[in-house]
Amino acid sequence: MPHHGAPLLNPFGSPMISGPDSKEQPPVNYNTKRQNENRPILAFVSGIAEGVSDIWVEKLLKTCGDINSWRRVCSADGNLQGFGFCEFKSPNDAASAIRVLSSTDGHKEGGWTLPSAKPTQQKLMIQVDFSVKELIDECQGMPNPAADTKCATDDELVQTVECIVRELEAAVIETSQTDEAKDEGEAKNDGGTDNTNENTAVNAETGNDDDEKVVSLELEEEWEKERARSKRHKRYILAAEEREQQTIAKQNERGDRIKWNAMRDLDEAEEKQHQRDAMSVMLSKWDDVQQAQMGEHGYYRDRQRWWRHRKVERAREMELDDVDRRQQERETCASEKPATGTTERRDLIEALIKEIPSDPKALFEWPVKWEQVNDTLIKSKIEPAVRKRLAEYLGGEGDDSSVSELAEYVVAHIREHKPPQELIDELEMVLVEEAPTFVARIWRFVVYESEAHARN
Protein backbone atom coordinates (compact mmCIF):
# COMPACT_ATOMS: atom_id res chain seq x y z
CA MET A 1 0.00 0.00 0.00
CA PRO A 2 1.48 3.43 -0.90
CA HIS A 3 2.88 5.62 1.84
CA HIS A 4 0.64 8.50 2.92
CA GLY A 5 2.90 11.52 3.20
CA ALA A 6 1.95 15.02 4.28
CA PRO A 7 -0.24 16.81 1.69
CA LEU A 8 1.23 19.51 -0.52
CA LEU A 9 -1.47 21.96 0.51
CA ASN A 10 -3.82 22.01 3.50
CA PRO A 11 -6.84 24.16 2.55
CA PHE A 12 -8.46 23.54 5.94
CA GLY A 13 -5.77 25.32 7.98
CA SER A 14 -3.71 24.09 10.93
CA PRO A 15 -5.43 22.90 14.13
CA MET A 16 -5.14 25.08 17.25
CA ILE A 17 -2.43 23.76 19.58
CA SER A 18 -2.27 24.66 23.27
CA GLY A 19 0.75 24.17 25.49
CA PRO A 20 0.71 22.09 28.67
CA ASP A 21 0.45 25.25 30.78
CA SER A 22 -2.58 26.62 28.94
CA LYS A 23 -5.42 27.31 31.35
CA GLU A 24 -8.03 28.32 28.85
CA GLN A 25 -8.84 26.79 25.48
CA PRO A 26 -9.73 29.23 22.68
CA PRO A 27 -13.36 29.10 21.51
CA VAL A 28 -14.06 26.81 18.58
CA ASN A 29 -15.25 28.56 15.45
CA TYR A 30 -18.17 26.31 14.56
CA ASN A 31 -19.29 28.60 11.74
CA THR A 32 -16.04 27.84 9.89
CA LYS A 33 -16.36 24.11 10.56
CA ARG A 34 -19.95 23.94 9.38
CA GLN A 35 -18.84 25.19 6.00
CA ASN A 36 -17.18 21.78 5.55
CA GLU A 37 -19.90 19.56 7.05
CA ASN A 38 -21.43 18.93 3.58
CA ARG A 39 -18.12 18.73 1.71
CA PRO A 40 -17.81 15.54 -0.42
CA ILE A 41 -15.09 13.10 0.71
CA LEU A 42 -13.17 10.84 -1.70
CA ALA A 43 -12.15 7.50 -0.14
CA PHE A 44 -10.10 4.56 -1.40
CA VAL A 45 -11.87 1.20 -0.95
CA SER A 46 -9.78 -2.00 -1.23
CA GLY A 47 -9.93 -5.64 -0.18
CA ILE A 48 -12.91 -6.50 -2.43
CA ALA A 49 -12.90 -10.24 -3.04
CA GLU A 50 -12.91 -11.61 -6.56
CA GLY A 51 -16.41 -12.20 -7.92
CA VAL A 52 -18.12 -9.60 -5.68
CA SER A 53 -20.13 -7.33 -7.97
CA ASP A 54 -20.46 -3.54 -7.69
CA ILE A 55 -24.09 -3.96 -6.60
CA TRP A 56 -23.03 -5.64 -3.34
CA VAL A 57 -20.19 -3.17 -2.70
CA GLU A 58 -22.44 -0.18 -3.27
CA LYS A 59 -25.08 -1.74 -1.00
CA LEU A 60 -22.53 -2.06 1.82
CA LEU A 61 -21.31 1.52 1.37
CA LYS A 62 -24.83 2.98 1.29
CA THR A 63 -25.63 1.16 4.52
CA CYS A 64 -23.19 3.41 6.40
CA GLY A 65 -24.08 6.73 4.77
CA ASP A 66 -25.01 8.63 1.63
CA ILE A 67 -22.64 8.44 -1.35
CA ASN A 68 -22.37 10.47 -4.53
CA SER A 69 -20.63 7.86 -6.65
CA TRP A 70 -18.80 4.53 -6.60
CA ARG A 71 -16.20 3.78 -9.29
CA ARG A 72 -14.60 0.33 -9.52
CA VAL A 73 -11.20 0.17 -11.19
CA CYS A 74 -10.91 -2.16 -14.20
CA SER A 75 -7.81 -3.73 -15.73
CA ALA A 76 -6.74 -3.20 -19.34
CA ASP A 77 -8.75 -6.25 -20.45
CA GLY A 78 -11.91 -5.03 -18.67
CA ASN A 79 -11.79 -7.26 -15.57
CA LEU A 80 -12.94 -5.75 -12.27
CA GLN A 81 -10.15 -5.15 -9.75
CA GLY A 82 -10.38 -5.51 -5.99
CA PHE A 83 -10.37 -1.77 -5.29
CA GLY A 84 -12.07 1.47 -6.33
CA PHE A 85 -13.01 5.00 -5.25
CA CYS A 86 -16.13 6.12 -3.41
CA GLU A 87 -17.24 9.73 -2.97
CA PHE A 88 -19.26 10.21 0.21
CA LYS A 89 -21.66 13.15 0.52
CA SER A 90 -20.21 14.43 3.81
CA PRO A 91 -17.36 13.78 6.27
CA ASN A 92 -19.81 12.15 8.72
CA ASP A 93 -20.86 9.60 6.07
CA ALA A 94 -17.21 8.78 5.38
CA ALA A 95 -16.44 8.50 9.10
CA SER A 96 -19.37 6.10 9.60
CA ALA A 97 -18.14 3.87 6.75
CA ILE A 98 -14.60 3.81 8.16
CA ARG A 99 -15.83 2.88 11.65
CA VAL A 100 -18.20 0.16 10.47
CA LEU A 101 -16.51 -1.36 7.39
CA SER A 102 -12.76 -0.72 7.51
CA SER A 103 -10.46 -3.38 8.95
CA THR A 104 -8.27 -0.61 10.39
CA ASP A 105 -9.94 1.81 12.82
CA GLY A 106 -13.10 -0.27 12.34
CA HIS A 107 -15.78 -1.17 14.88
CA LYS A 108 -15.69 -4.89 14.04
CA GLU A 109 -12.71 -6.71 15.47
CA GLY A 110 -10.68 -8.37 12.73
CA GLY A 111 -12.49 -6.48 9.98
CA TRP A 112 -14.69 -7.84 7.19
CA THR A 113 -13.79 -10.51 4.66
CA LEU A 114 -16.27 -10.56 1.79
CA PRO A 115 -17.38 -14.06 0.72
CA SER A 116 -15.98 -15.35 -2.55
CA ALA A 117 -15.91 -18.54 -4.56
CA LYS A 118 -12.14 -18.61 -4.07
CA PRO A 119 -10.63 -18.58 -0.56
CA THR A 120 -9.19 -15.17 0.29
CA GLN A 121 -7.67 -13.42 3.30
CA GLN A 122 -8.25 -9.88 2.01
CA LYS A 123 -9.85 -7.53 4.52
CA LEU A 124 -12.14 -4.71 3.45
CA MET A 125 -10.39 -1.36 3.96
CA ILE A 126 -11.50 2.26 3.54
CA GLN A 127 -8.77 4.92 3.48
CA VAL A 128 -8.69 8.68 3.03
CA ASP A 129 -5.94 11.24 2.63
CA PHE A 130 -4.23 12.61 5.75
CA SER A 131 -5.70 16.11 5.37
CA VAL A 132 -9.16 14.62 4.76
CA LYS A 133 -8.76 12.54 7.94
CA GLU A 134 -8.19 15.76 9.90
CA LEU A 135 -11.35 17.26 8.38
CA ILE A 136 -13.36 14.16 9.33
CA ASP A 137 -12.08 14.36 12.91
CA GLU A 138 -13.01 18.06 13.11
CA CYS A 139 -16.53 17.48 11.79
CA GLN A 140 -17.05 14.54 14.17
CA GLY A 141 -16.18 16.73 17.13
CA MET A 142 -18.52 19.51 16.11
CA PRO A 143 -21.94 19.72 17.80
CA ASN A 144 -24.73 19.55 15.28
CA PRO A 145 -28.12 20.45 16.82
CA ALA A 146 -29.83 19.79 13.48
CA ALA A 147 -28.64 16.16 13.38
CA ASP A 148 -31.23 13.41 13.28
CA THR A 149 -31.44 11.80 16.72
CA LYS A 150 -32.88 8.62 15.16
CA CYS A 151 -29.69 7.80 13.19
CA ALA A 152 -28.57 4.19 13.54
CA THR A 153 -25.73 3.45 15.96
CA ASP A 154 -22.54 1.66 14.92
CA ASP A 155 -23.76 -1.60 16.51
CA GLU A 156 -26.97 -1.44 14.48
CA LEU A 157 -25.01 -0.74 11.31
CA VAL A 158 -22.70 -3.70 12.02
CA GLN A 159 -25.75 -5.97 12.35
CA THR A 160 -27.10 -4.68 9.05
CA VAL A 161 -23.74 -5.28 7.36
CA GLU A 162 -23.66 -8.84 8.80
CA CYS A 163 -27.06 -9.50 7.21
CA ILE A 164 -25.81 -8.22 3.85
CA VAL A 165 -22.65 -10.35 4.11
CA ARG A 166 -24.75 -13.45 4.86
CA GLU A 167 -26.93 -12.68 1.83
CA LEU A 168 -23.78 -12.30 -0.26
CA GLU A 169 -22.44 -15.61 1.08
CA ALA A 170 -25.68 -17.37 0.17
CA ALA A 171 -25.55 -15.89 -3.33
CA VAL A 172 -21.92 -17.01 -3.72
CA ILE A 173 -22.77 -20.56 -2.62
CA GLU A 174 -25.72 -20.70 -5.02
CA THR A 175 -23.57 -19.43 -7.87
CA SER A 176 -20.81 -21.92 -7.02
CA GLN A 177 -23.25 -24.85 -7.04
CA THR A 178 -24.61 -23.76 -10.39
CA ASP A 179 -21.09 -23.47 -11.80
CA GLU A 180 -20.11 -26.90 -10.41
CA ALA A 181 -23.11 -28.53 -12.02
CA LYS A 182 -22.27 -26.88 -15.30
CA ASP A 183 -18.62 -27.96 -15.00
CA GLU A 184 -19.62 -31.58 -14.35
CA GLY A 185 -21.71 -31.57 -17.51
CA GLU A 186 -18.85 -30.15 -19.51
CA ALA A 187 -16.41 -32.65 -17.95
CA LYS A 188 -18.40 -35.56 -19.34
CA ASN A 189 -18.06 -34.14 -22.83
CA ASP A 190 -14.43 -33.13 -22.46
CA GLY A 191 -12.95 -36.04 -20.54
CA GLY A 192 -9.69 -35.81 -22.39
CA THR A 193 -8.85 -32.35 -21.18
CA ASP A 194 -7.94 -33.29 -17.58
CA ASN A 195 -4.22 -33.35 -18.19
CA THR A 196 -4.36 -29.99 -19.87
CA ASN A 197 -6.31 -28.55 -16.95
CA GLU A 198 -3.76 -29.93 -14.47
CA ASN A 199 -0.93 -28.30 -16.36
CA THR A 200 -2.87 -25.04 -16.49
CA ALA A 201 -3.45 -25.20 -12.72
CA VAL A 202 0.26 -25.70 -12.10
CA ASN A 203 1.12 -22.76 -14.32
CA ALA A 204 -1.53 -20.66 -12.60
CA GLU A 205 -0.07 -21.44 -9.16
CA THR A 206 3.42 -20.47 -10.27
CA GLY A 207 2.08 -17.23 -11.73
CA ASN A 208 0.10 -16.18 -8.64
CA ASP A 209 3.02 -14.28 -7.18
CA ASP A 210 3.50 -12.33 -10.40
CA ASP A 211 -0.23 -11.56 -10.61
CA GLU A 212 -0.25 -10.30 -7.03
CA LYS A 213 2.69 -8.01 -7.81
CA VAL A 214 0.93 -6.65 -10.91
CA VAL A 215 -2.31 -6.02 -8.99
CA SER A 216 -0.41 -4.34 -6.17
CA LEU A 217 1.42 -2.12 -8.67
CA GLU A 218 -1.84 -1.22 -10.44
CA LEU A 219 -3.49 -0.44 -7.09
CA GLU A 220 -0.62 1.84 -6.10
CA GLU A 221 -0.64 3.63 -9.47
CA GLU A 222 -4.41 4.23 -9.37
CA TRP A 223 -4.18 5.50 -5.80
CA GLU A 224 -1.37 7.90 -6.67
CA LYS A 225 -3.25 9.16 -9.75
CA GLU A 226 -6.38 9.81 -7.71
CA ARG A 227 -4.39 11.59 -4.99
CA ALA A 228 -2.66 13.73 -7.63
CA ARG A 229 -6.02 14.69 -9.14
CA SER A 230 -7.41 15.54 -5.72
CA LYS A 231 -4.41 17.68 -4.81
CA ARG A 232 -4.50 19.43 -8.18
CA HIS A 233 -8.17 20.17 -7.63
CA LYS A 234 -7.36 21.66 -4.21
CA ARG A 235 -4.63 23.81 -5.74
CA TYR A 236 -7.04 25.19 -8.31
CA ILE A 237 -9.63 25.91 -5.62
CA LEU A 238 -7.05 27.79 -3.55
CA ALA A 239 -5.85 29.65 -6.65
CA ALA A 240 -9.43 30.61 -7.51
CA GLU A 241 -10.01 31.90 -3.98
CA GLU A 242 -6.74 33.86 -4.12
CA ARG A 243 -7.73 35.38 -7.49
CA GLU A 244 -11.11 36.31 -6.05
CA GLN A 245 -9.44 38.08 -3.11
CA GLN A 246 -7.08 39.87 -5.49
CA THR A 247 -10.03 40.95 -7.65
CA ILE A 248 -11.85 42.33 -4.61
CA ALA A 249 -8.70 44.19 -3.51
CA LYS A 250 -8.27 45.64 -7.01
CA GLN A 251 -11.90 46.72 -7.10
CA ASN A 252 -11.55 48.43 -3.70
CA GLU A 253 -8.35 50.11 -4.83
CA ARG A 254 -10.01 51.23 -8.07
CA GLY A 255 -12.96 52.61 -6.10
CA ASP A 256 -10.63 54.55 -3.79
CA ARG A 257 -8.73 55.92 -6.78
CA ILE A 258 -11.93 57.01 -8.51
CA LYS A 259 -13.09 58.69 -5.32
CA TRP A 260 -9.73 60.46 -4.91
CA ASN A 261 -9.76 61.64 -8.55
CA ALA A 262 -13.31 62.94 -8.13
CA MET A 263 -12.30 64.90 -5.03
CA ARG A 264 -9.26 66.27 -6.84
CA ASP A 265 -11.36 67.35 -9.82
CA LEU A 266 -13.80 69.00 -7.46
CA ASP A 267 -10.97 70.87 -5.70
CA GLU A 268 -9.56 72.00 -9.05
CA ALA A 269 -12.98 73.19 -10.21
CA GLU A 270 -13.46 75.13 -6.98
CA GLU A 271 -9.98 76.67 -7.31
CA LYS A 272 -10.65 77.77 -10.91
CA GLN A 273 -13.98 79.25 -9.90
CA HIS A 274 -12.26 81.09 -7.06
CA GLN A 275 -9.66 82.47 -9.50
CA ARG A 276 -12.39 83.59 -11.93
CA ASP A 277 -14.25 85.34 -9.14
CA ALA A 278 -11.07 87.04 -7.98
CA MET A 279 -10.27 88.11 -11.55
CA SER A 280 -13.80 89.49 -12.01
CA VAL A 281 -13.52 91.53 -8.83
CA MET A 282 -10.06 92.84 -9.82
CA LEU A 283 -11.18 93.84 -13.34
CA SER A 284 -14.28 95.57 -11.99
CA LYS A 285 -12.02 97.81 -9.87
CA TRP A 286 -9.20 98.20 -12.45
CA ASP A 287 -7.99 101.76 -13.09
CA ASP A 288 -5.49 102.22 -15.98
CA VAL A 289 -4.33 105.65 -14.84
CA GLN A 290 -3.67 104.49 -11.32
CA GLN A 291 -1.89 101.30 -12.47
CA ALA A 292 0.30 103.32 -14.90
CA GLN A 293 1.30 105.65 -12.09
CA MET A 294 2.12 102.71 -9.80
CA GLY A 295 4.06 100.80 -12.50
CA GLU A 296 3.78 97.44 -10.74
CA HIS A 297 2.33 95.47 -13.69
CA GLY A 298 4.81 94.39 -16.36
CA TYR A 299 2.71 95.96 -19.11
CA TYR A 300 3.08 99.41 -17.59
CA ARG A 301 6.67 98.90 -16.42
CA ASP A 302 8.16 97.78 -19.81
CA ARG A 303 5.63 97.32 -22.64
CA GLN A 304 8.10 96.16 -25.31
CA ARG A 305 9.50 93.40 -23.10
CA TRP A 306 5.98 92.35 -22.05
CA TRP A 307 4.89 92.21 -25.70
CA ARG A 308 7.87 90.04 -26.70
CA HIS A 309 7.01 87.49 -23.97
CA ARG A 310 3.39 87.60 -24.97
CA LYS A 311 4.23 86.81 -28.63
CA VAL A 312 6.23 83.71 -27.57
CA GLU A 313 3.42 82.47 -25.36
CA ARG A 314 0.82 83.12 -28.05
CA ALA A 315 2.87 81.22 -30.68
CA ARG A 316 3.14 78.22 -28.32
CA GLU A 317 -0.62 78.28 -27.73
CA MET A 318 -1.34 78.39 -31.47
CA GLU A 319 1.07 75.51 -32.11
CA LEU A 320 -0.67 73.36 -29.51
CA ASP A 321 -4.05 74.26 -31.00
CA ASP A 322 -2.80 73.20 -34.45
CA VAL A 323 -1.56 69.83 -33.10
CA ASP A 324 -4.93 69.15 -31.45
CA ARG A 325 -6.77 70.06 -34.66
CA ARG A 326 -4.66 67.70 -36.83
CA GLN A 327 -5.12 64.83 -34.33
CA GLN A 328 -8.87 65.36 -34.41
CA GLU A 329 -8.87 65.32 -38.22
CA ARG A 330 -6.91 62.00 -38.29
CA GLU A 331 -9.34 60.37 -35.85
CA THR A 332 -12.29 61.54 -37.94
CA CYS A 333 -10.77 60.14 -41.15
CA ALA A 334 -9.94 56.81 -39.48
CA SER A 335 -13.53 56.40 -38.26
CA GLU A 336 -14.95 57.11 -41.72
CA LYS A 337 -12.47 54.87 -43.62
CA PRO A 338 -14.12 51.56 -44.76
CA ALA A 339 -12.76 48.28 -43.44
CA THR A 340 -10.04 46.64 -45.52
CA GLY A 341 -10.34 43.19 -47.08
CA THR A 342 -12.12 41.82 -50.10
CA THR A 343 -15.71 40.68 -50.15
CA GLU A 344 -14.70 37.31 -51.57
CA ARG A 345 -12.40 36.48 -48.68
CA ARG A 346 -15.06 37.49 -46.15
CA ASP A 347 -17.62 35.27 -47.88
CA LEU A 348 -15.24 32.28 -47.78
CA ILE A 349 -14.64 32.77 -44.06
CA GLU A 350 -18.37 33.01 -43.34
CA ALA A 351 -19.03 29.87 -45.41
CA LEU A 352 -16.38 27.91 -43.50
CA ILE A 353 -17.78 29.04 -40.14
CA LYS A 354 -21.27 27.89 -41.17
CA GLU A 355 -19.87 24.57 -42.41
CA ILE A 356 -18.34 23.66 -39.06
CA PRO A 357 -21.09 22.11 -36.86
CA SER A 358 -22.10 23.74 -33.58
CA ASP A 359 -23.41 20.52 -32.00
CA PRO A 360 -20.64 19.08 -29.76
CA LYS A 361 -21.22 15.48 -30.88
CA ALA A 362 -20.95 16.32 -34.57
CA LEU A 363 -18.08 18.71 -33.87
CA PHE A 364 -16.03 16.08 -32.01
CA GLU A 365 -16.53 13.63 -34.90
CA TRP A 366 -15.18 16.15 -37.44
CA PRO A 367 -11.91 14.82 -38.99
CA VAL A 368 -9.33 17.38 -37.93
CA LYS A 369 -6.57 17.99 -40.49
CA TRP A 370 -3.77 17.40 -38.00
CA GLU A 371 -1.08 17.85 -40.64
CA GLN A 372 -1.98 21.56 -40.63
CA VAL A 373 -1.78 21.85 -36.83
CA ASN A 374 1.96 22.48 -36.55
CA ASP A 375 4.01 24.20 -33.83
CA THR A 376 3.76 27.58 -35.58
CA LEU A 377 -0.05 27.46 -35.64
CA ILE A 378 -0.23 26.24 -32.04
CA LYS A 379 2.08 28.95 -30.67
CA SER A 380 0.69 31.82 -32.76
CA LYS A 381 -3.06 31.18 -32.55
CA ILE A 382 -4.23 28.10 -30.61
CA GLU A 383 -2.27 28.63 -27.38
CA PRO A 384 -3.24 32.35 -27.05
CA ALA A 385 -6.89 31.40 -27.64
CA VAL A 386 -6.69 28.67 -24.96
CA ARG A 387 -5.18 31.09 -22.44
CA LYS A 388 -7.81 33.72 -23.21
CA ARG A 389 -10.70 31.25 -22.79
CA LEU A 390 -9.27 29.83 -19.56
CA ALA A 391 -8.84 33.33 -18.15
CA GLU A 392 -12.52 33.97 -18.92
CA TYR A 393 -13.66 30.75 -17.21
CA LEU A 394 -11.32 30.91 -14.20
CA GLY A 395 -11.55 34.67 -13.71
CA GLY A 396 -7.77 35.28 -13.82
CA GLU A 397 -5.24 36.86 -16.16
CA GLY A 398 -3.60 35.15 -19.12
CA ASP A 399 -0.21 35.03 -17.37
CA ASP A 400 -1.64 33.69 -14.09
CA SER A 401 0.25 30.60 -12.83
CA SER A 402 -2.82 28.35 -12.59
CA VAL A 403 -4.08 29.52 -16.00
CA SER A 404 -0.64 28.90 -17.54
CA GLU A 405 -0.40 25.42 -16.03
CA LEU A 406 -3.83 24.41 -17.28
CA ALA A 407 -3.20 26.01 -20.71
CA GLU A 408 -0.01 24.00 -21.12
CA TYR A 409 -1.94 20.81 -20.34
CA VAL A 410 -4.66 21.63 -22.93
CA VAL A 411 -2.08 22.55 -25.60
CA ALA A 412 -0.16 19.31 -24.93
CA HIS A 413 -3.42 17.38 -25.35
CA ILE A 414 -4.02 19.05 -28.74
CA ARG A 415 -0.39 18.58 -29.79
CA GLU A 416 -0.69 14.82 -29.15
CA HIS A 417 -3.91 14.62 -31.25
CA LYS A 418 -5.91 13.10 -28.40
CA PRO A 419 -9.74 12.94 -28.57
CA PRO A 420 -11.75 15.78 -27.02
CA GLN A 421 -13.73 13.55 -24.63
CA GLU A 422 -10.56 12.69 -22.71
CA LEU A 423 -9.89 16.41 -22.30
CA ILE A 424 -13.43 16.92 -20.94
CA ASP A 425 -12.94 14.13 -18.38
CA GLU A 426 -9.71 15.71 -17.12
CA LEU A 427 -11.02 19.30 -17.00
CA GLU A 428 -14.24 18.38 -15.15
CA MET A 429 -12.19 18.37 -11.93
CA VAL A 430 -11.53 22.13 -12.42
CA LEU A 431 -14.27 23.54 -14.67
CA VAL A 432 -17.01 21.13 -13.44
CA GLU A 433 -20.13 21.50 -15.64
CA GLU A 434 -18.48 24.13 -17.86
CA ALA A 435 -15.81 21.68 -19.10
CA PRO A 436 -17.86 20.37 -22.13
CA THR A 437 -18.65 23.93 -23.27
CA PHE A 438 -15.03 25.05 -22.93
CA VAL A 439 -13.66 22.02 -24.83
CA ALA A 440 -16.29 22.50 -27.59
CA ARG A 441 -15.23 26.14 -28.08
CA ILE A 442 -11.54 25.26 -28.21
CA TRP A 443 -12.14 22.28 -30.51
CA ARG A 444 -14.22 24.40 -32.90
CA PHE A 445 -11.33 26.89 -33.06
CA VAL A 446 -8.84 24.08 -33.81
CA VAL A 447 -11.09 22.72 -36.58
CA TYR A 448 -11.51 26.18 -38.11
CA GLU A 449 -7.77 26.96 -38.12
CA SER A 450 -6.85 23.55 -39.60
CA GLU A 451 -9.49 23.89 -42.35
CA ALA A 452 -8.55 27.52 -43.08
CA HIS A 453 -4.87 26.61 -43.53
CA ALA A 454 -5.74 23.56 -45.62
CA ARG A 455 -7.89 25.69 -47.95
CA ASN A 456 -5.47 28.63 -47.98
Side-chain angles (χ1 to χ4, degrees), residues 345-366:
R345 179 178 176 82
R346 184 170 60 251
D347 293 341
L348 290 175
I349 293 175
E350 292 178 356
L352 176 58
I353 293 174
K354 292 180 180 179
E355 185 179 348
I356 300 174
S358 300
D359 179 62
K361 183 178 180 181
L363 176 63
F364 293 160
E365 293 176 354
W366 184 282

Side-chain angles (χ1 to χ4, degrees), residues 54 75 129 170 233 276 278 280 314 317 352 366 373 384 418 431 433:
D54 285 342
S75 62
D129 193 67
H233 182 51
R276 282 195 295 268
S280 299
R314 183 56 184 161
E317 292 175 356
L352 176 58
W366 184 282
V373 186
K418 292 183 179 180
L431 301 180
E433 67 273 4

Side-chain angles (χ1 to χ4, degrees), residues 80 86 112 197 223 264 268 280 428:
L80 293 176
C86 178
W112 298 95
N197 292 336
W223 175 247
R264 184 192 60 186
E268 291 179 355
S280 299
E428 279 182 346

Side-chain angles (χ1 to χ4, degrees), residues 398-425:
D399 56 352
D400 189 274
S401 59
S402 59
V403 173
S404 298
E405 181 181 354
L406 199 56
E408 291 175 1
Y409 177 81
V410 175
V411 170
H413 187 95
I414 296 174
R415 198 187 301 273
E416 295 174 5
H417 306 170
K418 292 183 179 180
Q421 187 58 46
E422 291 185 8
L423 185 59
I424 293 176
D425 296 339

Side-chain angles (χ1 to χ4, degrees), residues 286-304:
W286 188 267
D287 187 351
D288 279 341
V289 178
Q290 183 181 2
Q291 291 294 330
Q293 293 176 354
M294 294 174 60
E296 294 180 356
H297 196 277
Y299 175 78
Y300 299 103
R301 188 169 55 250
D302 189 348
R303 293 188 181 183
Q304 291 183 353

Side-chain angles (χ1 to χ4, degrees), residues 41-57:
I41 298 297
L42 183 66
F44 179 69
V45 182
S46 60
I48 304 173
E50 182 180 356
V52 179
S53 65
D54 285 342
I55 297 176
W56 289 102
V57 178

Side-chain angles (χ1 to χ4, degrees), residues 181-195:
K182 186 183 297 184
D183 292 340
E184 289 178 359
E186 292 178 354
K188 294 179 180 179
N189 298 327
D190 301 329
T193 60
D194 291 341
N195 294 332

